[in-house]
Amino acid sequence: MYRPAINRPRVLLVVSHPSVGAGIETILRLERRYEVRRAAKLTEAVSLARSWPADLALVDALVLRRDGRAELGVSSLILAGGAAEAAAAERSVDKPQGWVAKDAPSDDLVRAVERLLTGSVQTEAGTLALWGIGVLLLVLAGLLLYLIWTAVV
């Protein structure tokens, strides 16, 4: 199947509840970066995954609990109520890549999708970086005191 070189990431959304699915789909579409297709059942999602190659799947843990195992052939992010539910659901997909809370703020949902698509992880500044900034501040403070001293004397 032909895929253009420059395109928007494709997200397959597998959520059975119409309101929840519509809400998540709206959040992703408002970002204007993603193509989104939604399925309410796993059989529908598997069929869609074969004809429309997605870059990632957002799969509701309740759908997995109800319908069983899914072989989507794409990295999956589980929508779950908690870590225990997510851990159980991750065993039901072929390429689990973590989970995000169903009731997470929209920024957290988008950040989780972006992290999965880009593979980037935001990290805290390391101790070496903090040490370097501290030394730089000390040197600048010393220079400032030296300039003040030379101006007074």
Side-chain angles (χ1 to χ4, degrees):
M1 176 176 288
Y2 171 75
R3 299 267 318 258
I6 299 174
N7 61 356
R8 299 183 319 173
R10 293 176 168 197
V11 178
L12 175 59
L13 180 61
V14 186
V15 179
S16 60
H17 194 281
S19 298
V20 173
I24 294 172
E25 183 176 3
T26 300
I27 289 169
L28 294 174
R29 287 190 188 277
L30 285 173
E31 289 294 315
R32 299 186 186 275
R33 292 192 304 247
Y34 311 109
E35 284 185 53
V36 182
R37 298 258 175 106
R38 185 169 39 149
K41 297 178 182 175
L42 280 183
T43 55
E44 184 182 340
V46 169
S47 174
L48 190 55
R50 289 185 185 132
S51 64
W52 187 74
D55 297 301
L56 86 100
L58 273 171
V59 184
D60 188 354
L62 290 176
V63 172
L64 293 168
R65 190 177 339 153
R66 184 189 68 214
D67 293 346
R69 184 157 175 78
E71 298 286 335
L72 298 173
V74 66
S75 296
S76 299
L77 189 63
I78 305 297
L79 295 164
E85 182 183 24
E90 284 180 337
R91 291 189 291 271
S92 298
V93 292
D94 53 341
K95 296 182 182 179
Q97 295 293 321
W99 69 282
V100 65
K102 288 181 192 179
D103 60 350
S106 60
D107 289 344
D108 291 350
L109 176 68
V110 172
R111 200 174 8 252
V113 167
E114 281 298 312
R115 185 176 53 248
L116 186 62
L117 288 171
T118 62
S120 67
V121 177
Q122 294 178 353
T123 60
E124 301 289 326
T127 55
L128 183 61
L130 292 175
W131 184 81
I133 290 170
V135 169
L136 183 62
L137 287 174
L138 283 174
V139 169
L140 289 175
L143 285 173
L144 182 62
L145 288 173
Y146 176 74
L147 288 173
I148 293 171
W149 182 73
T150 56
V152 171
V153 175

